């Protein structure tokens, strides 16, 4: 894309009569006005004392870009290729469950907004609309499915089968949620969206899950979800078995250890996502951006390394890509956009990230994503 078009969009943002929040901080405050206390607290908060939640962002600030100048950056190519598919931008929308907490149209609105930009939408297992409902409204746009393992593993396999049949392009197995993190904000608010049934849509339409219940009333479905969603026995043998049950690429989300990254390669995993779940699981763990270069060095290009946790602006995306990530995930910002203005709000957030990322890449002194790995970062 010609960088002058980005400049035009920047000017347009300034002169428009109707202002939409641009910064992450403004988005968060706008979402707070629209969401319930419990819903906003659930999305905003982290585990424990929220040390990791803060560190995810503060650690980004410790990395400084050393830009190059006097290079032709009039045409910027932000496209990336993952698993044989080319996408126009170097970011995906992270899996976030129970999006009805933010807006009634939830995943339907988000998937349509993502489709407008051909940005892959990663749908959560605990979504408010089912795989099939999302696929129907978003057409052939790129979509991945995030899997929370079930104690009844046949439920997991069937959900993956449904996603594959619906045209989803990859499976993201989250591996850092074998049990719920210690989330003090939810306890203070006495808030459990799972118990409220906000994330039950995929289970309600899963024949294997329903056949495992004695009754299929709403209360039994919710209890069945609670019985399945925590899975402390999950281990590498399940990952291998999952690989055997689908032809889709399998990525593991929640990798922070170089030892686990190596085991992922050895067990035939197709990609890893460096993530601490946005600071929502174990408090006090390494900031995701600090773990990223260690894992990139361990894997050495054998499989793609993607990044999640703490992305707030285009310069954050540039830093993660410069440290070796093939692509990044955006989470809370698009949820806040959803809360602020539904599908249009998500589109605005995506559009701002597109523009901010292109400007940040150009001002770093390169013209395409792959060349960002040549940009030097200094850590203070």
């Amino acid at each position: 894309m010609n960088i002058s078009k980005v400049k035009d969009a920047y000017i347009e943002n300034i002169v428009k009569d109707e202002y939409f929040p641009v910064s992450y901080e403004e988005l968060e405050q706008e979402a707070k006005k629209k969401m319930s206390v419990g819903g906003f607290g659930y999305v905003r908060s982290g585990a424990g004392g929220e040390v990791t939640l803060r560190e995810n962002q503060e650690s980004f600030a410790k990395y400084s870009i050393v830009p190059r100048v006097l290079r032709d950056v009039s045409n910027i190519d932000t496209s990336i290729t993952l698993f044989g598919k080319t996408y126009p931008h170097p970011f995906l929308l992270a899996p976030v469950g129970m999006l009805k907490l933010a807006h009634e149209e939830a995943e339907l609105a988000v998937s349509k907004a993502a489709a407008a930009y051909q940005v892959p939408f990663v749908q959560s297992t605990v979504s408010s609309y089912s795989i099939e409902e999302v696929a129907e409204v978003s057409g052939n746009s790129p979509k991945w499915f995030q899997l929370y393992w079930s104690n009844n593993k046949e439920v997991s396999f069937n959900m993956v089968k449904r996603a594959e049949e619906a045209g989803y392009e990859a499976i993201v197995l989250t591996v850092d949620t074998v049990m719920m993190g210690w989330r003090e904000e939810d306890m203070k608010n006495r808030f459990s969206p799972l118990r409220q049934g906000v994330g039950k849509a995929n289970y309600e339409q899963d024949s294997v899950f329903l056949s495992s219940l004695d009754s299929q009333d709403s209360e039994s479905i919710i209890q069945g979800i609670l019985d399945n969603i925590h899975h402390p026995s999950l281990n590498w043998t399940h990952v291998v078995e999952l690989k055997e049950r689908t032809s889709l690429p399998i990525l593991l989300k929640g990798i922070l250890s170089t030892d686990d990254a190596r085991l992922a390669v050895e067990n035939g995993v197709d990609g890893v996502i460096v993530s601490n779940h946005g600071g929502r699981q174990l408090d006090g763990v390494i900031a995701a951006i600090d773990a990223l270069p260690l894992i990139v060095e361990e894997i050495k290009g054998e499989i793609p390394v993607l990044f999640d946790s703490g992305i707030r602006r285009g310069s954050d995306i540039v830093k993660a890509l410069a440290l070796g990530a093939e692509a990044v995930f955006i989470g809370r910002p698009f949820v806040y956009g959803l809360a602020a203005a539904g599908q249009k709000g998500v589109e605005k957030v995506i559009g701002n990230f597109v523009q901010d990322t292109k400007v940040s890449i150009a001002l770093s002194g390169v013209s395409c994503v792959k060349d960002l790995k040549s940009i030097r970062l200094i850590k203070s």
Side-chain angles (χ1 to χ4, degrees), residues 39-66:
F40 177 75
Y42 178 82
V43 173
R44 184 216 62 79
S45 64
E50 300 186 339
V51 172
T52 299
L53 176 63
R54 293 189 295 273
E55 280 291 317
N56 277 342
Q57 292 182 250
E58 291 171 3
S59 290
F60 264 104
K62 296 174 184 176
Y63 289 88
S64 299
I65 301 167
V66 182

PDB file of all heavy atoms in Angstrom, residues 39-66:
ATOM      1  N   GLY A  39     -19.006  -7.606  33.668  1.00  0.00           N
ATOM      2  CA  GLY A  39     -18.493  -7.892  32.333  1.00  0.00           C
ATOM      3  C   GLY A  39     -17.218  -7.136  32.037  1.00  0.00           C
ATOM      4  O   GLY A  39     -16.248  -7.696  31.522  1.00  0.00           O
ATOM      5  N   PHE A  40     -17.194  -5.855  32.381  1.00  0.00           N
ATOM      6  CA  PHE A  40     -15.991  -5.060  32.153  1.00  0.00           C
ATOM      7  C   PHE A  40     -14.842  -5.567  33.020  1.00  0.00           C
ATOM      8  O   PHE A  40     -13.708  -5.703  32.552  1.00  0.00           O
ATOM      9  CB  PHE A  40     -16.251  -3.584  32.439  1.00  0.00           C
ATOM     10  CG  PHE A  40     -15.029  -2.724  32.302  1.00  0.00           C
ATOM     11  CD1 PHE A  40     -14.541  -2.399  31.045  1.00  0.00           C
ATOM     12  CD2 PHE A  40     -14.350  -2.263  33.420  1.00  0.00           C
ATOM     13  CE1 PHE A  40     -13.394  -1.608  30.904  1.00  0.00           C
ATOM     14  CE2 PHE A  40     -13.217  -1.482  33.292  1.00  0.00           C
ATOM     15  CZ  PHE A  40     -12.735  -1.158  32.032  1.00  0.00           C
ATOM     16  N   GLY A  41     -15.130  -5.871  34.267  1.00  0.00           N
ATOM     17  CA  GLY A  41     -14.096  -6.385  35.149  1.00  0.00           C
ATOM     18  C   GLY A  41     -13.509  -7.683  34.644  1.00  0.00           C
ATOM     19  O   GLY A  41     -12.294  -7.914  34.725  1.00  0.00           O
ATOM     20  N   TYR A  42     -14.357  -8.535  34.089  1.00  0.00           N
ATOM     21  CA  TYR A  42     -13.898  -9.819  33.552  1.00  0.00           C
ATOM     22  C   TYR A  42     -12.913  -9.611  32.409  1.00  0.00           C
ATOM     23  O   TYR A  42     -11.867 -10.271  32.338  1.00  0.00           O
ATOM     24  CB  TYR A  42     -15.096 -10.630  33.079  1.00  0.00           C
ATOM     25  CG  TYR A  42     -14.729 -11.953  32.455  1.00  0.00           C
ATOM     26  CD1 TYR A  42     -14.455 -13.060  33.241  1.00  0.00           C
ATOM     27  CD2 TYR A  42     -14.654 -12.081  31.070  1.00  0.00           C
ATOM     28  CE1 TYR A  42     -14.107 -14.277  32.657  1.00  0.00           C
ATOM     29  CE2 TYR A  42     -14.301 -13.281  30.479  1.00  0.00           C
ATOM     30  CZ  TYR A  42     -14.026 -14.371  31.284  1.00  0.00           C
ATOM     31  OH  TYR A  42     -13.674 -15.568  30.698  1.00  0.00           O
ATOM     32  N   VAL A  43     -13.230  -8.699  31.497  1.00  0.00           N
ATOM     33  CA  VAL A  43     -12.375  -8.459  30.337  1.00  0.00           C
ATOM     34  C   VAL A  43     -11.106  -7.711  30.722  1.00  0.00           C
ATOM     35  O   VAL A  43     -10.007  -8.044  30.279  1.00  0.00           O
ATOM     36  CB  VAL A  43     -13.145  -7.672  29.254  1.00  0.00           C
ATOM     37  CG1 VAL A  43     -12.217  -7.258  28.114  1.00  0.00           C
ATOM     38  CG2 VAL A  43     -14.300  -8.514  28.711  1.00  0.00           C
ATOM     39  N   ARG A  44     -11.219  -6.681  31.548  1.00  0.00           N
ATOM     40  CA  ARG A  44     -10.082  -5.822  31.875  1.00  0.00           C
ATOM     41  C   ARG A  44      -9.048  -6.473  32.759  1.00  0.00           C
ATOM     42  O   ARG A  44      -7.846  -6.254  32.620  1.00  0.00           O
ATOM     43  CB  ARG A  44     -10.576  -4.544  32.587  1.00  0.00           C
ATOM     44  CG  ARG A  44      -9.464  -3.543  32.880  1.00  0.00           C
ATOM     45  CD  ARG A  44      -9.660  -2.819  34.205  1.00  0.00           C
ATOM     46  NE  ARG A  44      -9.650  -3.692  35.361  1.00  0.00           N
ATOM     47  CZ  ARG A  44      -8.557  -4.188  35.942  1.00  0.00           C
ATOM     48  NH1 ARG A  44      -7.358  -3.918  35.453  1.00  0.00           N
ATOM     49  NH2 ARG A  44      -8.644  -4.984  36.989  1.00  0.00           N
ATOM     50  N   SER A  45      -9.487  -7.313  33.685  1.00  0.00           N
ATOM     51  CA  SER A  45      -8.637  -7.729  34.804  1.00  0.00           C
ATOM     52  C   SER A  45      -7.644  -8.816  34.428  1.00  0.00           C
ATOM     53  O   SER A  45      -7.739  -9.466  33.387  1.00  0.00           O
ATOM     54  CB  SER A  45      -9.506  -8.216  35.965  1.00  0.00           C
ATOM     55  OG  SER A  45     -10.233  -9.369  35.588  1.00  0.00           O
ATOM     56  N   GLY A  46      -6.686  -9.002  35.347  1.00  0.00           N
ATOM     57  CA  GLY A  46      -5.734 -10.089  35.255  1.00  0.00           C
ATOM     58  C   GLY A  46      -5.801 -10.939  36.502  1.00  0.00           C
ATOM     59  O   GLY A  46      -6.623 -10.705  37.393  1.00  0.00           O
ATOM     60  N   ALA A  47      -4.943 -11.930  36.572  1.00  0.00           N
ATOM     61  CA  ALA A  47      -4.916 -12.824  37.728  1.00  0.00           C
ATOM     62  C   ALA A  47      -4.166 -12.176  38.886  1.00  0.00           C
ATOM     63  O   ALA A  47      -3.336 -11.282  38.709  1.00  0.00           O
ATOM     64  CB  ALA A  47      -4.252 -14.140  37.347  1.00  0.00           C
ATOM     65  N   GLY A  48      -4.492 -12.631  40.092  1.00  0.00           N
ATOM     66  CA  GLY A  48      -3.771 -12.232  41.290  1.00  0.00           C
ATOM     67  C   GLY A  48      -3.687 -10.730  41.467  1.00  0.00           C
ATOM     68  O   GLY A  48      -4.679 -10.007  41.354  1.00  0.00           O
ATOM     69  N   GLY A  49      -2.489 -10.234  41.745  1.00  0.00           N
ATOM     70  CA  GLY A  49      -2.263  -8.806  41.927  1.00  0.00           C
ATOM     71  C   GLY A  49      -2.048  -8.064  40.623  1.00  0.00           C
ATOM     72  O   GLY A  49      -1.672  -6.897  40.630  1.00  0.00           O
ATOM     73  N   GLU A  50      -2.258  -8.739  39.496  1.00  0.00           N
ATOM     74  CA  GLU A  50      -2.160  -8.171  38.148  1.00  0.00           C
ATOM     75  C   GLU A  50      -0.755  -7.683  37.805  1.00  0.00           C
ATOM     76  O   GLU A  50      -0.564  -6.783  36.982  1.00  0.00           O
ATOM     77  CB  GLU A  50      -3.186  -7.054  37.941  1.00  0.00           C
ATOM     78  CG  GLU A  50      -4.615  -7.549  38.128  1.00  0.00           C
ATOM     79  CD  GLU A  50      -5.667  -6.511  37.782  1.00  0.00           C
ATOM     80  OE1 GLU A  50      -5.337  -5.311  37.772  1.00  0.00           O
ATOM     81  OE2 GLU A  50      -6.817  -6.902  37.512  1.00  0.00           O
ATOM     82  N   VAL A  51       0.248  -8.303  38.416  1.00  0.00           N
ATOM     83  CA  VAL A  51       1.637  -7.953  38.104  1.00  0.00           C
ATOM     84  C   VAL A  51       1.942  -8.271  36.644  1.00  0.00           C
ATOM     85  O   VAL A  51       2.497  -7.451  35.903  1.00  0.00           O
ATOM     86  CB  VAL A  51       2.612  -8.710  39.033  1.00  0.00           C
ATOM     87  CG1 VAL A  51       4.063  -8.491  38.584  1.00  0.00           C
ATOM     88  CG2 VAL A  51       2.419  -8.272  40.473  1.00  0.00           C
ATOM     89  N   THR A  52       1.557  -9.473  36.198  1.00  0.00           N
ATOM     90  CA  THR A  52       1.835  -9.876  34.817  1.00  0.00           C
ATOM     91  C   THR A  52       1.043  -9.036  33.826  1.00  0.00           C
ATOM     92  O   THR A  52       1.556  -8.678  32.760  1.00  0.00           O
ATOM     93  CB  THR A  52       1.530 -11.370  34.628  1.00  0.00           C
ATOM     94  OG1 THR A  52       2.373 -12.125  35.499  1.00  0.00           O
ATOM     95  CG2 THR A  52       1.799 -11.809  33.196  1.00  0.00           C
ATOM     96  N   LEU A  53      -0.195  -8.712  34.171  1.00  0.00           N
ATOM     97  CA  LEU A  53      -0.997  -7.847  33.307  1.00  0.00           C
ATOM     98  C   LEU A  53      -0.263  -6.530  33.050  1.00  0.00           C
ATOM     99  O   LEU A  53      -0.172  -6.068  31.906  1.00  0.00           O
ATOM    100  CB  LEU A  53      -2.354  -7.577  33.962  1.00  0.00           C
ATOM    101  CG  LEU A  53      -3.291  -6.601  33.244  1.00  0.00           C
ATOM    102  CD1 LEU A  53      -3.698  -7.132  31.885  1.00  0.00           C
ATOM    103  CD2 LEU A  53      -4.521  -6.314  34.098  1.00  0.00           C
ATOM    104  N   ARG A  54       0.283  -5.934  34.098  1.00  0.00           N
ATOM    105  CA  ARG A  54       1.018  -4.678  33.938  1.00  0.00           C
ATOM    106  C   ARG A  54       2.338  -4.886  33.206  1.00  0.00           C
ATOM    107  O   ARG A  54       2.732  -4.098  32.351  1.00  0.00           O
ATOM    108  CB  ARG A  54       1.265  -4.029  35.310  1.00  0.00           C
ATOM    109  CG  ARG A  54       0.001  -3.557  36.007  1.00  0.00           C
ATOM    110  CD  ARG A  54       0.329  -2.735  37.241  1.00  0.00           C
ATOM    111  NE  ARG A  54       1.007  -3.512  38.269  1.00  0.00           N
ATOM    112  CZ  ARG A  54       0.383  -4.224  39.213  1.00  0.00           C
ATOM    113  NH1 ARG A  54      -0.943  -4.274  39.239  1.00  0.00           N
ATOM    114  NH2 ARG A  54       1.077  -4.876  40.124  1.00  0.00           N
ATOM    115  N   GLU A  55       3.032  -5.967  33.549  1.00  0.00           N
ATOM    116  CA  GLU A  55       4.343  -6.232  32.939  1.00  0.00           C
ATOM    117  C   GLU A  55       4.239  -6.451  31.438  1.00  0.00           C
ATOM    118  O   GLU A  55       5.167  -6.114  30.691  1.00  0.00           O
ATOM    119  CB  GLU A  55       4.991  -7.459  33.590  1.00  0.00           C
ATOM    120  CG  GLU A  55       5.660  -7.175  34.922  1.00  0.00           C
ATOM    121  CD  GLU A  55       6.905  -6.308  34.768  1.00  0.00           C
ATOM    122  OE1 GLU A  55       7.698  -6.564  33.837  1.00  0.00           O
ATOM    123  OE2 GLU A  55       7.066  -5.362  35.554  1.00  0.00           O
ATOM    124  N   ASN A  56       3.129  -7.025  30.977  1.00  0.00           N
ATOM    125  CA  ASN A  56       2.977  -7.241  29.539  1.00  0.00           C
ATOM    126  C   ASN A  56       3.130  -5.946  28.762  1.00  0.00           C
ATOM    127  O   ASN A  56       3.741  -5.915  27.696  1.00  0.00           O
ATOM    128  CB  ASN A  56       1.606  -7.864  29.236  1.00  0.00           C
ATOM    129  CG  ASN A  56       1.596  -9.371  29.412  1.00  0.00           C
ATOM    130  OD1 ASN A  56       2.639 -10.017  29.438  1.00  0.00           O
ATOM    131  ND2 ASN A  56       0.414  -9.939  29.542  1.00  0.00           N
ATOM    132  N   GLN A  57       2.580  -4.862  29.292  1.00  0.00           N
ATOM    133  CA  GLN A  57       2.692  -3.572  28.616  1.00  0.00           C
ATOM    134  C   GLN A  57       3.983  -2.839  28.985  1.00  0.00           C
ATOM    135  O   GLN A  57       4.641  -2.256  28.121  1.00  0.00           O
ATOM    136  CB  GLN A  57       1.476  -2.705  28.943  1.00  0.00           C
ATOM    137  CG  GLN A  57       0.187  -3.231  28.338  1.00  0.00           C
ATOM    138  CD  GLN A  57      -0.987  -2.331  28.649  1.00  0.00           C
ATOM    139  OE1 GLN A  57      -1.868  -2.676  29.419  1.00  0.00           O
ATOM    140  NE2 GLN A  57      -1.003  -1.159  28.039  1.00  0.00           N
ATOM    141  N   GLU A  58       4.343  -2.877  30.249  1.00  0.00           N
ATOM    142  CA  GLU A  58       5.541  -2.161  30.677  1.00  0.00           C
ATOM    143  C   GLU A  58       6.804  -2.724  30.031  1.00  0.00           C
ATOM    144  O   GLU A  58       7.749  -1.985  29.748  1.00  0.00           O
ATOM    145  CB  GLU A  58       5.638  -2.199  32.199  1.00  0.00           C
ATOM    146  CG  GLU A  58       4.550  -1.363  32.889  1.00  0.00           C
ATOM    147  CD  GLU A  58       4.492  -1.568  34.392  1.00  0.00           C
ATOM    148  OE1 GLU A  58       5.337  -2.333  34.918  1.00  0.00           O
ATOM    149  OE2 GLU A  58       3.595  -0.981  35.036  1.00  0.00           O
ATOM    150  N   SER A  59       6.815  -4.019  29.778  1.00  0.00           N
ATOM    151  CA  SER A  59       7.996  -4.618  29.152  1.00  0.00           C
ATOM    152  C   SER A  59       8.141  -4.196  27.698  1.00  0.00           C
ATOM    153  O   SER A  59       9.260  -4.117  27.173  1.00  0.00           O
ATOM    154  CB  SER A  59       7.929  -6.146  29.262  1.00  0.00           C
ATOM    155  OG  SER A  59       8.118  -6.545  30.606  1.00  0.00           O
ATOM    156  N   PHE A  60       7.024  -3.928  27.028  1.00  0.00           N
ATOM    157  CA  PHE A  60       7.114  -3.386  25.673  1.00  0.00           C
ATOM    158  C   PHE A  60       7.872  -2.069  25.679  1.00  0.00           C
ATOM    159  O   PHE A  60       8.672  -1.782  24.785  1.00  0.00           O
ATOM    160  CB  PHE A  60       5.719  -3.172  25.087  1.00  0.00           C
ATOM    161  CG  PHE A  60       5.235  -4.304  24.225  1.00  0.00           C
ATOM    162  CD1 PHE A  60       4.295  -5.193  24.685  1.00  0.00           C
ATOM    163  CD2 PHE A  60       5.740  -4.473  22.942  1.00  0.00           C
ATOM    164  CE1 PHE A  60       3.849  -6.241  23.896  1.00  0.00           C
ATOM    165  CE2 PHE A  60       5.305  -5.513  22.137  1.00  0.00           C
ATOM    166  CZ  PHE A  60       4.359  -6.398  22.610  1.00  0.00           C
ATOM    167  N   ALA A  61       7.605  -1.251  26.696  1.00  0.00           N
ATOM    168  CA  ALA A  61       8.234   0.076  26.764  1.00  0.00           C
ATOM    169  C   ALA A  61       9.747  -0.020  26.980  1.00  0.00           C
ATOM    170  O   ALA A  61      10.474   0.946  26.710  1.00  0.00           O
ATOM    171  CB  ALA A  61       7.600   0.894  27.882  1.00  0.00           C
ATOM    172  N   LYS A  62      10.224  -1.161  27.450  1.00  0.00           N
ATOM    173  CA  LYS A  62      11.655  -1.329  27.686  1.00  0.00           C
ATOM    174  C   LYS A  62      12.432  -1.612  26.397  1.00  0.00           C
ATOM    175  O   LYS A  62      13.662  -1.576  26.384  1.00  0.00           O
ATOM    176  CB  LYS A  62      11.895  -2.451  28.699  1.00  0.00           C
ATOM    177  CG  LYS A  62      11.323  -2.140  30.083  1.00  0.00           C
ATOM    178  CD  LYS A  62      11.453  -3.332  31.018  1.00  0.00           C
ATOM    179  CE  LYS A  62      10.793  -3.063  32.363  1.00  0.00           C
ATOM    180  NZ  LYS A  62      10.814  -4.242  33.259  1.00  0.00           N
ATOM    181  N   TYR A  63      11.707  -1.951  25.328  1.00  0.00           N
ATOM    182  CA  TYR A  63      12.348  -2.198  24.037  1.00  0.00           C
ATOM    183  C   TYR A  63      12.267  -0.938  23.183  1.00  0.00           C
ATOM    184  O   TYR A  63      11.174  -0.415  22.936  1.00  0.00           O
ATOM    185  CB  TYR A  63      11.677  -3.355  23.299  1.00  0.00           C
ATOM    186  CG  TYR A  63      11.943  -4.708  23.909  1.00  0.00           C
ATOM    187  CD1 TYR A  63      11.123  -5.209  24.912  1.00  0.00           C
ATOM    188  CD2 TYR A  63      13.019  -5.491  23.479  1.00  0.00           C
ATOM    189  CE1 TYR A  63      11.359  -6.452  25.473  1.00  0.00           C
ATOM    190  CE2 TYR A  63      13.261  -6.733  24.030  1.00  0.00           C
ATOM    191  CZ  TYR A  63      12.432  -7.215  25.035  1.00  0.00           C
ATOM    192  OH  TYR A  63      12.680  -8.443  25.588  1.00  0.00           O
ATOM    193  N   SER A  64      13.395  -0.444  22.737  1.00  0.00           N
ATOM    194  CA  SER A  64      13.444   0.760  21.910  1.00  0.00           C
ATOM    195  C   SER A  64      13.886   0.404  20.491  1.00  0.00           C
ATOM    196  O   SER A  64      14.879  -0.316  20.294  1.00  0.00           O
ATOM    197  CB  SER A  64      14.428   1.775  22.500  1.00  0.00           C
ATOM    198  OG  SER A  64      14.022   2.176  23.795  1.00  0.00           O
ATOM    199  N   ILE A  65      13.142   0.905  19.523  1.00  0.00           N
ATOM    200  CA  ILE A  65      13.469   0.680  18.114  1.00  0.00           C
ATOM    201  C   ILE A  65      14.587   1.617  17.697  1.00  0.00           C
ATOM    202  O   ILE A  65      14.568   2.809  18.010  1.00  0.00           O
ATOM    203  CB  ILE A  65      12.224   0.932  17.239  1.00  0.00           C
ATOM    204  CG1 ILE A  65      11.075   0.004  17.649  1.00  0.00           C
ATOM    205  CG2 ILE A  65      12.551   0.775  15.764  1.00  0.00           C
ATOM    206  CD1 ILE A  65       9.731   0.393  17.056  1.00  0.00           C
ATOM    207  N   VAL A  66      15.567   1.079  16.992  1.00  0.00           N
ATOM    208  CA  VAL A  66      16.610   1.902  16.391  1.00  0.00           C
ATOM    209  C   VAL A  66      16.297   1.985  14.899  1.00  0.00           C
ATOM    210  O   VAL A  66      16.631   1.083  14.134  1.00  0.00           O
ATOM    211  CB  VAL A  66      18.011   1.310  16.619  1.00  0.00           C
ATOM    212  CG1 VAL A  66      19.080   2.226  16.014  1.00  0.00           C
ATOM    213  CG2 VAL A  66      18.267   1.081  18.103  1.00  0.00           C
TER     214      VAL A  66
END
